[in-house]
Amino acid sequence: MSDRRTGILTAATRVIARRGVRGLRVEELAAEAGVSTSLIYYHFGDRAGILRRTLEFINDRADRYTAGRMSDGGPDDARADLEQVLLLELQDLDEVRENSTAWGELRASAVFEPDLREELARATHTWVHEIAELIGRADPLGTAPAHAAAAERLTALLEGLSVRWLSGVLPLPHARHLLREAIAAELDGVRV
């Protein structure tokens, strides 16, 4: 992706995090990115294109900051990998705060925007599938449906904890503690 497109998508993420999807105005985005509105339309076509590409950008950025050492070892290493990937979504870094806030805004707006809903459903499905694969590595005796259900619960919990942390309702260390406990409960609990 070109530096200019990356700059526009970074600015779009920032604007959405601050003002929400409904507050995203192409003129404000252009000012934030330091480009002309015509350049934004050239690269993204329309507002829906901006939102679609911003959602992809947010997912790609999250993949980068949650990527780390992934072991090829046994279930104990896989359990640590799962915990690491999920906990990296709860970091007190500007990029993570901005990404999580923008994701929440896009998710909330998808209630009213069917096109965005489809894109968000695909992105969420991919995320849940990736977490289910990690759970499967940590719990090789479990079933695929049980892994998928656990991944749904953990990702939904993570989104809720993130909103509470970002809104100041829940301290970050406590949010991380609750997530660790939920991971343990999913991996050590009764199979569904």
Side-chain angles (χ1 to χ4, degrees):
M1 181 181 316
S2 74
D3 288 343
R4 187 156 301 201
R5 284 176 64 111
T6 300
I8 294 168
L9 291 170
T10 300
T13 303
R14 207 169 23 251
V15 171
I16 291 170
R18 269 196 324 256
R19 295 185 153 316
V21 172
R22 290 186 175 183
L24 177 67
R25 304 285 178 261
V26 176
E27 296 77 20
E28 182 181 357
L29 173 55
E32 182 80 23
V35 299
S36 68
T37 56
S38 60
L39 186 64
I40 291 173
Y41 286 118
Y42 171 77
H43 282 295
F44 304 102
D46 57 11
R47 188 172 183 280
I50 295 166
L51 293 176
R52 211 172 20 260
R53 295 292 296 147
T54 302
L55 181 61
E56 291 171 14
F57 175 78
I58 289 168
N59 286 326
D60 291 345
R61 195 160 78 164
D63 285 345
R64 281 192 304 276
Y65 66 69
T66 58
R69 178 199 66 81
M70 295 298 279
S71 67
D72 293 325
D76 288 342
D77 288 337
R79 184 183 190 121
D81 291 343
L82 172 66
E83 188 171 291
Q84 177 188 22
V85 165
L86 292 174
L87 287 171
L88 286 172
E89 291 283 356
L90 294 173
Q91 298 182 77
D92 195 12
L93 301 173
D94 290 341
E95 183 178 55
V96 175
R97 285 175 169 273
E98 187 176 272
N99 240 37
S100 295
T101 303
W103 173 268
E105 292 293 334
L106 286 161
R107 186 171 25 86
S109 293
V111 171
F112 305 104
E113 297 189 34
D115 291 341
L116 187 55
R117 188 178 315 142
E118 291 171 20
E119 294 293 326
L120 189 72
R122 274 192 284 278
T124 300
H125 175 76
T126 300
W127 184 34
V128 169
H129 180 74
E130 290 168 359
I131 298 303
E133 286 181 354
L134 285 172
I135 293 170
R137 285 184 39 228
D139 179 26
L141 299 178
T143 66
H147 297 154
E152 286 283 358
R153 288 188 295 269
L154 287 173
T155 56
L157 174 66
L158 177 54
E159 285 182 339
L161 291 172
S162 180
V163 168
R164 288 185 180 190
W165 159 55
L166 291 166
S167 64
V169 173
L170 191 64
L172 180 58
H174 190 59
R176 293 173 65 89
H177 172 74
L178 291 172
L179 184 57
R180 278 189 190 97
E181 285 184 338
I183 294 167
E186 288 292 348
L187 293 178
D188 299 336
V190 178
R191 300 215 187 283
V192 177

